Amino acid sequence: MLIAISTLAVLLILVGWKFKKQRAVHIPAMSLAFLIDLGLLLYIELNRHAIATLQKTMSSGADEGLLYFHVSVSAFMLVLYFVQIGTGIRLAKGREVSRVFHRNAAGLFLACRLLNYVTSFFVVSNL
């Protein structure tokens, strides 16, 4: 079920990216993807105790490199979400100076989200 919800978020991000020049599609798709991802993060932490599980897994000698990579990419992705929201709001208010930064950060964000998605399959199978 969580994979399906995560897949929906990724698809919404891809829709938002595809329609980046059409604000009526881009903004709602990206906003909904953010809300879904934030909800997933909260659900995973509250129901699966992700941080405690991570600490336990680390001490058991499981595939630490992959797990550290997944957590690092996930944390950076969340930071980039807020960067994208901030610059997106500025763009919506007509501050065109934010456009280049928003576009460049979007590429990095997309890469992080896709890496997060792919590594989540391996992390879940190793826990």
Side-chain angles (χ1 to χ4, degrees):
M1 181 64 163
L2 294 178
I3 294 293
I5 295 170
S6 185
T7 300
L8 175 62
V10 169
L11 290 174
L12 283 167
I13 290 166
L14 293 174
V15 166
W17 178 70
K18 172 107 171 104
F19 292 97
K20 59 188 169 231
K21 294 185 182 200
Q22 297 174 17
R23 287 184 179 181
V25 176
H26 178 77
I27 293 172
M30 297 307 268
S31 298
L32 185 55
F34 174 69
L35 290 173
I36 290 170
D37 273 343
L38 197 55
L40 267 175
L41 177 66
L42 290 172
Y43 176 83
I44 290 168
E45 178 52 37
L46 295 174
N47 291 314
R48 293 190 174 183
H49 310 289
I51 294 172
T53 302
L54 173 65
Q55 290 170 337
K56 194 183 320 176
T57 303
M58 289 298 149
S59 64
S60 74
D63 191 357
E64 291 181 30
L66 177 64
L67 204 48
Y68 277 130
F69 181 76
H70 176 74
V71 170
S72 299
V73 166
S74 300
F76 192 51
M77 178 194 76
L78 282 173
V79 169
L80 287 171
Y81 250 129
F82 288 105
V83 167
Q84 289 303 94
I85 289 168
T87 56
I89 289 170
R90 285 188 214 114
L91 278 170
K93 290 181 177 179
R95 293 180 61 191
E96 287 297 315
V97 70
S98 299
R99 184 167 306 281
V100 172
F101 186 76
H102 186 76
R103 185 181 320 130
N104 291 339
L108 192 53
F109 165 77
L110 188 59
C112 284
R113 184 57 180 99
L114 292 174
L115 281 170
N116 163 274
Y117 182 72
V118 170
T119 58
S120 68
F121 288 96
F122 298 106
V123 168
V124 168
S125 68
N126 284 334
L127 292 180

